[in-house]
Amino acid sequence: MDLIRMKGVKKSYKNGVTAIHNLDLRIKKGQFVFIIGPTGCGKSTLIKMLYREEKPTAGHIIVGGLDVAKLRNSRVFKLRRKLGVVFQDFKLLPKSTVYENVAFALEVLGAPKDEIHAKVVKVLDLVGLKHKAKQYPNQLSGGEQQRVAIARAIVNGPKLLICDEPTGNLDEGTSMEIMKVLVEINKMGTTIIMVTHDTEIVSALKKRTILLDSGRIVKDFEEGTFSYEAIKNVR
Amino acid sequence: MKLLRMLGRNIRDSFKSVFRNFALSLASISCITITLIVVSISIILSINVNNFASLVEKDVTIVAFLDTQITEEQKTVVEETIKSLDNIDSYEFTSKKDITEEMMDSSETFKNIMANWSEEENPIQDTYQVKVKEIEKIGKTAKEIEGIKGVSVVKYGEGMVEQLVVVFDTVRKICIGMVIALILVTAFLISNTIKITIVARKREIDIMRLVGASNINIKIPFIFEGLFLGALGSIIPIIATVIGYDTLFEHFDGQLFSPFIQLVNPNPFTFYVSLILLIIGILVGMFGSWRAVRKHMKI
Ligand SMILES: Nc1ncnc2c1ncn2[C@@H]1O[C@H](COP(=O)(O)OP(=O)(O)OP(=O)(O)O)[C@@H](O)[C@H]1O
Ligand SMILES: [Mg+2]
């Protein structure tokens, strides 16, 4: 079953730049999908439309049964509750502890305290940060901060996790640790879409990989078929 | 339950925010304080003016003395003219004869003297006693009556009473003008304070949106912040009103200069004024923040 369906999607920004051209894409429930491509090719734009940070100029986008293209601003939160988003810059609250940062995602939904506690502890355990619950973001390494961000993104049990260059600020070893966490989360049934520049990771994991160039899908590698050679001429 | 929890969280956040930008909050709070003090003065003045104007109106009468040599036709013209003035509530004619008799009845001395007066010698004049509708305009009405041909002298009331009414009324009008201007300035200042809060908390707002907080849930803390600013700004005006008016009332023994001018009793008057001040403070605060949220929170 498809979790995401995009058909004839086009995105032009107000300044006249068309970042995505007539794009079709289907992603099945439970898949792990990399989106790669040269800088400025529209990767971020593509996923921004999935969590409705941007509205497509034309076309249809269905995410988990919601017609995202038609979603009104005041209803965006309904979509956001079904998915988690992780960024290169973590986007943590600096004055809140690790625990508070993760709990924040449940607090704004009005969850009861004991339920919040149970879920936060569980998810911190999953990302391996249970022992740092009381620390503040600036007391953590980049990799640890990103794991907090991941914990926050999945604490609500979303069907979909969207990551925009989650390892962009991290060194190789740390990146691999983050990837382990993501693969773990994927195994538990969460669909993951990850934008990355890191072809090491992509070729190591050999997940489904979509190559974007100038706002168009130029190659869609099925799981296990990614080869570094095939993308050389694009880079 | 869920709603209550979220409300609790919102209120806590807004309260924190007031103290996080305390310098800025203080500017808004002071502005509200000044506004509400002026509001309080206006209310106290208006209510008191209305109160003693209505007390005084019952008692203040214009007395128009007619010329001694007035003819019957002229008298009718005078009456018609008085009748036609706008500010006239009622009038009454008392003839020279009536007064003379009344005075002669009141004392033997008068009787002896006055009995010897001939019609020409009698200095007593026919009069009209006129009551006005609006005490503030009594002076004008008296002038109009004085201008009527055949009317020689006009006297009215205590003099000071209507002057006081006029002064109080002028002060009240100035206050109302000031209140309107101040409310605008205050709303603008609060709007600005909230705007800065919004900018300062942009990261938090973005994250809230990201993790699926509804728009209302994101906006409410800022509206509450405005509410708090308004409520905090009303504290000093309320205290000043209650203590100030009580002291004033005690000091003047409930009346100003003469028993004519009764002050409104502080209880429960100051209680109502306080309530009005609190409500105005809160409304202005919420209006200011609502504006800022509408303008600066693009969600
Ligand atoms: N908000 C915006 N307004 C106008 N143009 C934009 C906006 N965001 C992106 N663009 C343009 O759209 C195109 C695609 O940008 P996008 O951010 O999607 O690229 P990207 O593939 O994520 O790049 P990178 O790998 O550098 O992150 C670029 O030409 C960019 O300049
Ligand atoms: Mg990008």
Side-chain angles (χ1 to χ4, degrees):
Chain A
M1 217 177 89
D2 293 337
L3 181 69
I4 294 170
R5 216 179 285 180
M6 301 176 90
K7 203 162 188 311
V9 173
K10 179 186 166 192
K11 174 67 191 179
S12 302
Y13 284 107
K14 281 199 195 87
N15 60 3
V17 175
T18 300
I20 296 289
H21 299 270
N22 194 28
L23 185 137
D24 296 333
L25 177 64
R26 287 167 161 228
I27 294 174
K28 284 200 176 66
K29 236 176 215 164
Q31 267 189 335
F32 195 127
V33 182
F34 286 120
I35 296 176
I36 58 170
T39 185
C41 71
K43 306 182 292 296
S44 296
T45 304
L46 174 60
I47 59 169
K48 273 179 185 166
M49 289 191 286
L50 294 179
Y51 60 91
R52 187 46 178 72
E53 184 66 28
E54 294 290 351
K55 245 183 171 167
T57 315
H60 299 280
I61 303 178
I62 309 288
V63 176
L66 274 176
D67 191 341
V68 178
K70 287 199 184 119
L71 204 60
R72 274 187 285 127
N73 267 349
S74 57
R75 313 291 289 169
V76 168
F77 73 95
K78 297 247 173 204
L79 171 70
R80 301 283 169 87
R81 289 177 186 189
K82 290 179 180 233
L83 52 83
V85 193
V86 173
F87 299 92
Q88 183 172 2
D89 61 354
F90 323 133
K91 295 204 195 300
L92 299 176
L93 296 169
K95 286 180 191 156
S96 301
T97 63
V98 167
Y99 181 93
E100 287 162 354
N101 262 288
V102 179
F104 188 72
L106 295 170
E107 273 173 13
V108 298
L109 309 184
K113 248 198 162 87
D114 42 352
E115 187 191 317
I116 293 178
H117 183 78
K119 283 188 173 174
V120 173
V121 169
K122 193 169 155 233
V123 81
L124 282 181
D125 198 27
L126 179 70
V127 300
L129 282 178
K130 208 171 157 187
H131 59 295
K132 301 224 164 166
K134 291 208 172 71
Q135 313 243 343
Y136 287 86
N138 63 1
Q139 299 170 313
L140 302 178
S141 72
E144 285 168 337
Q145 289 186 52
Q146 191 58 292
R147 281 189 275 159
V148 177
I150 292 170
R152 184 182 63 196
I154 62 166
V155 69
N156 194 27
K159 293 195 191 97
L160 173 65
L161 179 61
I162 296 173
C163 313
D164 196 347
E165 302 191 35
T167 61
N169 279 346
L170 308 175
D171 62 43
E172 214 172 300
T174 319
S175 296
M176 274 307 165
E177 276 171 35
I178 294 294
M179 291 319 296
K180 267 186 209 150
V181 172
L182 291 179
V183 167
E184 197 60 38
I185 291 165
N186 178 240
K187 274 187 187 150
M188 291 161 63
T190 308
T191 309
I192 297 185
I193 299 176
M194 173 170 156
V195 169
T196 186
H197 274 128
D198 193 336
T199 38
E200 298 283 317
I201 290 177
V202 177
S203 57
L205 267 69
K206 293 238 174 350
K207 300 287 187 186
R208 180 182 174 191
T209 303
I210 291 164
L211 174 62
L212 221 57
D213 192 18
S214 306
R216 293 183 172 84
I217 296 179
V218 292
K219 193 115 181 63
D220 189 346
F221 300 93
E222 284 307 310
E223 181 155 5
T225 65
F226 178 79
S227 87
Y228 192 68
E229 302 302 314
I231 64 165
K232 257 192 176 153
N233 50 347
V234 178
R235 295 245 147 187
Chain B
M1 239 345 259
K2 187 174 147 188
L3 221 71
L4 223 64
R5 263 199 306 274
M6 288 168 67
L7 206 67
R9 211 185 88 85
N10 287 336
I11 290 174
R12 198 186 61 210
D13 280 2
S14 336
F15 211 72
K16 272 193 209 155
S17 180
V18 167
F19 292 98
R20 207 177 298 158
N21 306 313
F22 194 64
L24 208 71
S25 299
L26 202 65
S28 298
I29 292 170
S30 319
C31 206
I32 296 179
T33 300
I34 293 165
T35 308
L36 291 181
I37 285 173
V38 181
V39 169
S40 173
I41 292 171
S42 329
I43 295 175
I44 288 173
L45 285 175
S46 331
I47 301 290
N48 272 298
V49 165
N50 282 342
N51 182 54
F52 64 66
S54 63
L55 286 177
V56 157
E57 255 152 41
K58 293 194 196 87
D59 300 311
V60 174
T61 310
I62 299 175
V63 184
F65 295 84
L66 303 188
D67 287 345
T68 37
Q69 289 92 0
I70 198 163
T71 64
E72 281 306 312
E73 298 92 81
Q74 276 176 316
K75 254 186 224 169
T76 340
V77 173
V78 171
E79 182 171 351
E80 287 302 314
T81 318
I82 289 177
K83 213 198 264 177
S84 71
L85 297 174
D86 339 310
N87 197 26
I88 303 302
D89 185 50
S90 63
Y91 64 90
E92 210 179 297
F93 178 73
T94 315
S95 72
K96 185 164 148 180
K97 208 172 119 229
D98 292 339
I99 301 173
T100 314
E101 274 166 14
E102 200 182 302
M103 286 176 80
M104 282 164 72
D105 282 347
S106 68
S107 99
E108 275 303 308
T109 332
F110 277 162
K111 194 173 181 170
N112 292 335
I113 301 168
M114 292 164 87
N116 297 326
W117 286 346
S118 69
E119 186 69 7
E120 277 75 45
E121 282 167 331
N122 190 348
I124 297 190
Q125 294 161 286
D126 291 331
T127 61
Y128 275 102
Q129 283 99 24
V130 180
K131 296 208 177 203
V132 293
K133 285 189 201 137
E134 286 171 74
I135 192 85
E136 298 90 345
K137 295 182 188 152
I138 195 168
K140 187 171 157 264
T141 307
K143 276 227 173 60
E144 282 166 356
I145 293 174
E146 200 158 14
I148 301 170
K149 193 156 177 282
V151 176
S152 56
V153 198
V154 166
K155 285 197 175 136
Y156 61 93
E158 291 257 297
M160 194 177 70
V161 173
E162 19 328 300
Q163 268 172 22
L164 213 69
V165 169
V166 170
V167 169
F168 273 41
D169 204 55
T170 312
V171 174
R172 184 185 61 160
K173 276 176 188 151
I174 294 169
C175 282
I176 290 171
M178 274 170 74
V179 165
I180 293 169
L182 278 168
I183 282 182
L184 289 178
V185 172
T186 309
F188 176 78
L189 222 97
I190 290 175
S191 185
N192 230 31
T193 307
I194 304 292
K195 175 189 156 185
I196 288 173
T197 315
I198 290 173
V199 172
R201 292 178 62 185
K202 185 178 182 306
R203 192 180 182 82
E204 206 173 319
I205 293 170
D206 285 348
I207 294 172
M208 282 178 94
R209 294 197 66 207
L210 202 65
V211 298
S214 66
N215 286 7
I216 294 176
N217 195 11
I218 296 173
K219 286 173 183 172
I220 277 178
F222 296 96
I223 306 290
F224 270 119
E225 189 175 339
L227 187 153
F228 280 136
L229 292 176
L232 289 172
S234 67
I235 292 174
I236 291 174
I238 286 175
I239 294 173
T241 301
V242 171
I243 294 179
Y245 189 72
D246 242 28
T247 314
L248 194 90
F249 189 83
E250 290 299 316
H251 183 258
F252 288 109
D253 218 9
Q255 62 190 43
L256 228 50
F257 313 119
S258 88
F260 260 132
I261 313 169
Q262 293 284 330
L263 292 172
V264 179
N265 201 296
N267 189 21
F269 176 56
T270 50
F271 173 75
Y272 291 132
V273 176
S274 303
L275 203 67
I276 291 171
L277 295 182
L278 182 67
I279 292 171
I280 293 178
I282 285 175
L283 287 182
V284 171
M286 285 172 77
F287 173 74
S289 52
W290 174 78
R291 247 184 52 112
V293 165
R294 269 196 43 159
K295 246 180 103 182
H296 300 289
M297 207 187 280
K298 301 218 168 45
I299 57 177

